[in-house]
């Protein structure tokens, strides 16, 4: 739920609070060069060993995946491209089948009745939550043990990001649409809170038919009320002290879970994204805090004093579970043990969950930083080398990050006896870096550490210790002059060569003639600023987004230098090929606002999913299949802009344009949805995808008349009761039993 165009709840999804005056890349070029030279001369034995390891794995080869990984007689991207569509249905190529298997409200735990889908259902902590998002597969053997080879039984760990809302209330889940003014009724708030979080649900194949298992003992929900541990440097820190956890070691729940990840040891990672919008701050809070540094931090995370909460949950009563959404000083303690002034510091992390074991508490891995997290994706695990975790911060003008573990990968940890203990080993101790991209196709990872003078002496915020950096990562990245990006969404690692792909979904705040503090000039890594028309209305900035990819320098996962290019520019097929449609997309390929991005480790296909508001006059959101090349396979291109003080020339690196053999639209979703989440069985023959918020564009005033809903999916596809649209998981299979994408 991220679109930046025509979304009523935009303010909660696209916070733009980066007012740092980071130097532009050109002005820091000389500093960078001297630093890189030092790093280069220091790169030695470790780098050589890394390269040797890569060669031995047989992964670091070039060339198209088509022949390398496809089975005999099977051609990847052999399907017929799916046309753009405004139909209220899921469209896939001929020969493919779509089944709906798990939708909002489906009962998964004892005590939940069949879902009526008329707004009277309750007990959402025992049902599938709303807004299915990132998702991972965890295989189970026939006797219910974790299995990496099972293709007929497994668990899906599913993020439930948010809820469809207009004016405070989450209207489809209330019989009459809910109360759209404050205070909010507790009964409505209880439902809305419970449908956030994650679910773990067992699915099985019987014959050729997949279905979820209603009574599985593995089924589990985590909601914003579940007990969760703080792990890593921030554990026990003064900034984590709350009434709920005076020791600062726990927090309550996880919220706005968007992208996901899967660890090399088989646990689930879920990223907390637009959590800040759920909290309220009183209009007098700055003075009550004596304008101390917490005020700076709160502003940087999009909560200036007086900021209203998205749903008004804090108004539902005096009970602690409602009060906690008020992130204001209300108590008299010095440290916050009698109120929720620090509550937001417990949200914004990558959370690790053992999907196989519901008795294990989830842990927030604070070493990976706190921001609007999307996916968390590992470098290829190499024995004896550290693990990198790639991540992004999805707000306008935010940054790209990586974490590098101190522990070196031990292949024995691929099947650990305690998965959460393996998480403690690799995810609680390491180094955080932020990316800076230079105009010549190079870049660097800058360490976020108290040893970095730019952070230690930062005038914008007085960092106390490494935990302070983990909690206030955005401010640390400001301090070191990281590159502000066009909203980093998912990332993924190409299994073929280890290169890292990042969706940069769109950014309305790019302009050749910027105004105000939040608008930026186009730069090399975010080079487009143009106007796209939708229904006669101008959409400015980078409305269609792009996909950037990077290649680590010597040192592999631990490298501090990189090279990059733009793999793909989103655009309409008919748009100007010199300034906008730089990837020469055809009608079978054109897309806007890439968001979900996932390389199948089994077929090597890069699946690209959209969450768009710019091209939706002509097509619903979609998923495409790609077989990309590699960093540097294209050319440098110069974009020219008419700026106030003359021509502005921006050099960028454009990847080799895709062909009809290397990029094709595979799926188009129903009306008003986004396509997100992707995982598959290890034979590549069943692909699971999420359809999020179909019908989101429905007006709350039209709730009583299903004919006026902008979508009736999945009911119109034969799934479930009622006509209210529901987020849902689908499974895609091929009639001939082949692999998905062939
Ligand atoms: Fe929830 Fe940035 O997508
Ligand atoms: Ca358009
Ligand atoms: Ca997303």
């Amino acid at each position: 739920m991220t679109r930046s165009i025509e979304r009523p709840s935009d303010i909660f999804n696209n916070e733009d609070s980066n007012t740092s005056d980071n130097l532009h890349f050109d002005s820091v070029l000389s500093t960078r060069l001297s630093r890189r030279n030092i790093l280069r001369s220091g790169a030695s034995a470790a780098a050589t060993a890394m390269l040797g390891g890569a060669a031995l794995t047989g992964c670091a080869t070039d060339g198209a995946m088509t022949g390398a990984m496809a089975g005999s007689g099977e051609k990847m991207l052999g399907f017929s491209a799916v046309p753009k569509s405004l139909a209220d249905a899921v469209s896939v190529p001929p020969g493919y089948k779509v089944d709906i298997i798990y939708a909002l409200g489906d009962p998964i735990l004892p005590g939940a009745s069949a879902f009526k889908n008329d707004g009277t259902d309750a007990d959402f902590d025992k049902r599938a939550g709303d807004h299915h998002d990132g998702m991972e597969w965890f295989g189970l053997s026939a006797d219910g043990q974790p299995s990496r080879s099972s293709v007929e039984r497994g668990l899906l760990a599913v993020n439930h990001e948010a809820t469809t809302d207009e004016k405070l209330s989450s209207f489809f889940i209330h019989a009459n649409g809910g109360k759209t003014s404050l205070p909010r009724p507790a009964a409505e708030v209880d439902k809305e809170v419970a449908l956030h979080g994650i679910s773990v649900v067992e699915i099985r194949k019987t014959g050729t038919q997949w279905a979820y298992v209603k009574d599985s003992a593995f089924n589990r929900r985590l909601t914003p009320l579940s007990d969760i541990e703080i792990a890593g440097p921030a554990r026990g820190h003064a900034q984590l002290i709350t009434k709920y956890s005076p020791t600062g070691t726990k927090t309550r729940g996880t919220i706005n879970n968007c992208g996901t990840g899967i660890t090399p040891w088989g646990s689930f990672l879920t990223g907390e994204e637009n959590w800040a919008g759920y909290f309220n701050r009183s209009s007098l809070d700055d003075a009550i805090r004596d304008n101390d540094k917490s005020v700076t931090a709160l502003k940087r995370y999009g909560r200036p004093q007086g900021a209203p909460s998205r749903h008004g949950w804090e108004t539902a009563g005096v009970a602690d579970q409602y009060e906690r959404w008020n992130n204001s000083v209300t108590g008299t303690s010095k440290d916050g043990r009698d109120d929720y002034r620090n509550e937001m510091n417990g949200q914004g992390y990558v959370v690790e969950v053992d999907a196989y074991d519901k008795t294990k508490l989830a842990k927030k891995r604070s070493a990976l930083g706190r921001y609007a997290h999307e996916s968390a994706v590992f470098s290829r695990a190499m024995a004896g080398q550290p693990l990198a975790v790639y991540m992004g911060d999805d707000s306008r003008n935010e940054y790209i990050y990586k974490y590098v573990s101190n522990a070196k990968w031990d292949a024995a940890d691929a099947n650990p006896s305690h998965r959460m203990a393996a998480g403690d080993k690799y995810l609680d101790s390491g180094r955080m870096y932020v990316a800076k991209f230079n105009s010549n196709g190079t870049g660097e990872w800058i360490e976020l550490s108290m040893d970095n003078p730019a952070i230690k002496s930062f005038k914008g915020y007085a960092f106390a210790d490494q935990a302070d950096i983990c909690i206030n990562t955005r401010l640390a990245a400001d301090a070191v002059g990281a590159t502000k990006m066009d909203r980093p969404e998912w990332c993924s690692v190409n299994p073929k060569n280890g290169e890292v792909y990042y969706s940069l979904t769109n950014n309305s705040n790019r302009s050749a003639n910027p105004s105000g503090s939040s608008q930026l000039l186009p730069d090399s890594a975010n080079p487009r600023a143009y106007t796209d028309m939708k229904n006669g209305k101008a959409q400015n900035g980078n409305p269609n987004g792009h996909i950037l990819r990077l290649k680590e320098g010597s040192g592999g996962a631990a490298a501090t230098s990189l090279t990059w290019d733009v793999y793909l520019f989103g655009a309409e097929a008919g748009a100007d090929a010199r300034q906008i449609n730089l990837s020469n997309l055809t009608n079978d390929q054109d897309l806007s606002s890439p968001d979900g991005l996932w390389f199948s480790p089994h077929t090597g296909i890069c699946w690209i999913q959209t969450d768009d508001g710019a091209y939706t006059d002509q097509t619903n959101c979609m998923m495409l299949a790609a077989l990309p090349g590699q960093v540097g396979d294209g050319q440098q291109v110069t974009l020219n802009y008419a700026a106030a003080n003359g021509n502005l020339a921006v050099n960028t690196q454009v990847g080799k344009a895709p062909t009809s053999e290397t990029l094709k639209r595979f799926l188009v979703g129903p009306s008003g949805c986004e396509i997100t989440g992707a995982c598959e069985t290890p034979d590549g023959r069943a692909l699971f995808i999420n359809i999020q918020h179909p019908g989101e564009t429905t007006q709350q005033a039209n709730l009583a008349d299903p004919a006026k809903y902008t979508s009736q999916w999945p009911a119109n596809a034969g799934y479930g009761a009622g006509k209210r649209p529901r987020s849902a998981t689908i499974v895609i299979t091929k009639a001939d039993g082949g692999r998905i994408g062939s």
Side-chain angles (χ1 to χ4, degrees):
M1 169 145 57
T2 55
R3 59 191 62 167
S4 64
I5 295 157
E6 294 187 1
R7 286 265 303 134
S9 55
D10 236 19
I11 186 172
F12 304 114
N13 292 326
N14 289 309
E15 305 279 0
D16 185 350
S17 36
N18 191 353
T19 54
S20 67
D21 55 351
N22 280 357
L23 297 174
H24 285 277
F25 54 87
D26 284 334
S27 57
V28 287
L29 196 61
S30 53
T31 337
R32 176 191 63 77
L33 286 173
S34 58
R35 180 179 153 84
R36 279 189 70 223
N37 289 341
I38 293 165
L39 291 167
R40 269 201 182 141
S41 59
S44 56
T48 316
M50 172 71 195
L51 289 170
L56 285 174
T57 64
C59 293
T61 52
D62 295 330
M65 184 70 66
T66 316
M69 291 183 72
S72 61
E74 188 184 46
K75 182 177 182 246
M76 285 296 127
L77 273 55
F79 60 87
S80 302
V82 172
K84 294 184 283 273
S85 168
L86 290 168
D88 190 24
V90 177
S91 309
V92 292
Y96 283 87
K97 179 165 89 95
V98 170
D99 289 297
I100 298 149
I101 59 170
Y102 182 54
L104 161 70
D106 280 342
I108 62 168
L109 290 167
S113 51
F115 191 60
K116 297 195 288 294
N117 194 24
D118 59 3
T120 64
D121 302 278
D123 303 315
F124 279 91
D125 55 349
K126 302 181 179 70
R127 304 178 180 279
D130 205 350
H131 282 217
H132 300 37
D133 205 324
M135 168 173 65
E136 304 287 349
W137 159 272
F138 297 89
L140 283 171
S141 63
D143 60 351
Q145 297 302 309
S147 163
R148 288 185 193 266
S149 59
S150 168
V151 296
E152 300 200 327
R153 183 183 181 192
L155 306 174
L156 291 178
V158 184
N159 280 349
H160 298 292
E161 184 183 26
T163 178
T164 301
D165 53 88
E166 184 188 274
K167 295 183 198 156
L168 293 171
S169 174
S170 308
F171 59 96
F172 279 126
I173 64 150
H174 303 305
N176 62 359
K179 185 163 177 268
T180 56
S181 60
L182 300 178
R184 297 292 317 287
E188 290 184 8
V189 169
D190 291 347
K191 285 166 77 166
E192 292 168 16
V193 170
L195 51 73
H196 287 72
I198 69 159
S199 60
V200 176
V201 63
E202 182 176 341
I203 56 169
R204 284 195 203 207
K205 188 167 90 166
T206 308
T208 58
Q209 196 64 41
W210 286 91
Y212 87 93
V213 183
K214 179 170 165 270
D215 303 317
S216 170
F218 288 101
N219 292 352
R220 177 184 187 186
R221 279 299 316 278
L222 283 184
T223 76
L225 293 174
S226 303
D227 204 24
I228 298 188
E229 278 196 66
I230 304 289
R235 182 176 173 82
H237 196 271
Q239 293 179 38
L240 271 299
I241 291 174
T242 64
K243 194 169 165 186
Y244 183 70
S245 180
T247 58
T249 54
K250 283 189 176 183
T251 189
R252 191 164 21 188
T254 183
I255 194 161
N256 210 268
N257 304 76
C258 191
T260 53
I262 190 161
T263 66
W265 51 95
S267 60
F268 177 64
L269 298 180
T270 172
E272 299 174 333
E273 189 192 12
N274 293 307
W275 40 274
Y278 292 84
F279 293 91
N280 168 77
R281 270 192 78 211
S282 87
S283 56
L284 303 172
D285 200 42
D286 285 0
I288 297 172
R289 290 173 186 261
D290 292 331
N291 281 292
D292 66 10
K293 72 178 200 176
S294 72
V295 170
T296 305
L298 286 159
K299 281 186 185 156
R300 186 64 183 82
Y301 283 88
R303 292 293 93 180
Q305 68 174 356
S309 64
R310 177 173 178 165
H311 298 292
W313 289 344
E314 76 283 356
T315 66
V318 295
D320 195 66
Q321 74 211 64
Y322 309 122
E323 185 189 347
R324 60 83 66 105
W325 301 107
N326 179 4
N327 200 90
S328 311
V329 176
T330 60
T332 56
S333 68
K334 276 198 160 42
D335 62 4
R337 67 184 55 232
D338 58 350
D339 61 20
Y340 288 100
R341 73 187 72 166
N342 294 325
E343 182 74 346
M344 267 176 56
N345 292 336
Q347 306 292 335
Y349 299 100
V350 169
V351 187
E352 184 179 8
V353 181
D354 187 341
Y356 290 113
D357 187 349
K358 60 207 284 187
T359 69
K360 297 285 194 302
L361 277 188
K363 293 188 177 184
K364 301 208 174 187
R365 298 297 182 186
S366 67
L368 279 61
R370 176 170 163 270
Y371 37 94
H373 275 284
E374 287 281 339
S375 55
V377 175
F378 284 79
S379 57
R380 294 180 300 175
M382 307 263 191
Q385 298 295 321
L387 298 170
V389 184
Y390 299 97
M391 298 167 286
D393 181 355
D394 181 14
S395 285
R396 291 193 292 269
N397 304 337
E398 292 297 345
Y399 307 120
I400 280 174
Y401 296 92
K402 81 166 169 178
Y403 164 89
V404 179
S405 67
N406 286 340
K408 309 280 197 293
W409 176 243
D410 177 351
D413 287 329
N415 293 295
S417 48
H418 298 289
R419 279 171 290 272
M420 295 305 286
D424 296 343
K425 175 179 172 182
Y426 292 102
L427 295 180
D428 283 349
S429 173
R431 295 165 188 260
M432 271 295 294
Y433 298 85
V434 68
K436 186 142 80 72
F437 300 98
N438 305 314
S439 59
N440 63 354
T442 66
E444 63 184 300
W445 292 110
I446 307 170
E447 187 174 355
L448 302 178
S449 150
M450 289 301 284
D451 295 333
N452 187 329
I455 291 177
K456 196 157 192 176
S457 61
F458 183 44
K459 297 223 174 0
Y461 181 86
F463 284 98
D465 47 33
Q466 192 65 32
D468 205 354
I469 293 174
C470 292
I471 297 166
N472 294 293
T473 317
R474 281 181 176 173
L475 286 160
D478 293 345
V480 303
T483 304
K484 298 176 178 181
M485 308 301 292
D486 287 351
R487 295 187 52 206
E489 287 268 4
W490 289 45
C491 57
S492 190
V493 169
N494 186 343
K496 183 182 64 171
N497 57 18
E499 294 180 357
V500 192
Y501 286 61
Y502 273 92
S503 284
L504 299 164
T505 191
N506 56 54
N507 188 356
S508 52
N509 276 346
R510 290 273 169 201
S511 173
N513 295 286
S515 62
S517 61
S518 60
Q519 282 221 318
L520 299 179
L521 284 169
D523 65 26
S524 289
N526 306 276
R528 291 188 308 175
Y530 58 99
T531 297
D532 168 74
M533 298 305 291
K534 179 185 175 189
N535 296 328
K537 206 174 143 207
Q539 308 175 107
N540 298 314
N542 174 13
N544 303 126
H546 58 290
I547 299 175
L548 181 135
R549 65 184 162 192
L550 62 90
K551 177 182 183 172
E552 295 282 23
S554 57
T560 52
S561 66
L562 59 91
T563 50
W564 65 269
D565 68 8
V566 175
Y567 158 57
L568 200 69
F569 287 93
E572 298 182 10
D576 175 3
R578 288 165 307 161
Q579 292 280 122
I580 302 172
N581 187 12
L582 297 167
S583 298
N584 287 316
L585 302 182
T586 66
N587 274 311
D588 287 344
Q589 302 169 321
D590 58 344
L591 73 143
S592 177
S593 301
D595 182 340
L597 178 78
W598 177 70
F599 275 94
S600 159
H602 315 298
T603 61
I605 290 175
C606 178
W607 295 100
I608 300 165
Q609 303 171 319
T610 69
D611 175 15
D612 186 41
Y615 206 11
T616 44
D617 52 337
Q618 294 179 55
T619 183
N620 297 339
C621 287
M622 62 182 73
M623 181 167 77
L624 304 98
L627 296 169
Q630 62 201 24
V631 170
D633 63 8
Q635 58 187 325
Q636 179 166 300
V637 168
T638 303
L639 304 184
N640 290 292
Y641 294 100
N645 52 359
N647 181 64
L648 170 68
V650 177
N651 290 335
T652 189
Q653 318 295 326
V654 182
K656 185 180 178 184
T659 68
S660 59
E661 303 284 298
T662 62
L663 179 66
K664 259 184 207 177
R665 190 177 301 105
F666 177 83
L667 175 150
V668 180
S671 306
C673 80
E674 82 176 70
I675 308 297
T676 183
C679 58
E680 65 190 355
T681 51
D683 58 2
R685 296 175 199 281
L687 178 65
F688 304 95
I689 297 295
N690 282 323
I691 307 295
Q692 187 185 103
H693 63 63
E696 181 194 44
T697 44
T698 302
Q699 301 288 310
Q700 186 160 350
N702 291 334
L703 188 68
D705 183 1
K708 291 183 176 163
Y709 297 172
T710 57
S711 172
Q712 293 185 7
W713 191 91
N716 67 3
Y719 190 89
K723 292 189 172 175
R724 297 182 181 207
R726 300 158 72 185
S727 296
T729 304
I730 61 174
V731 59
I732 300 165
T733 50
K734 206 175 174 198
D736 67 4
R739 294 196 294 169
I740 310 307
S742 60

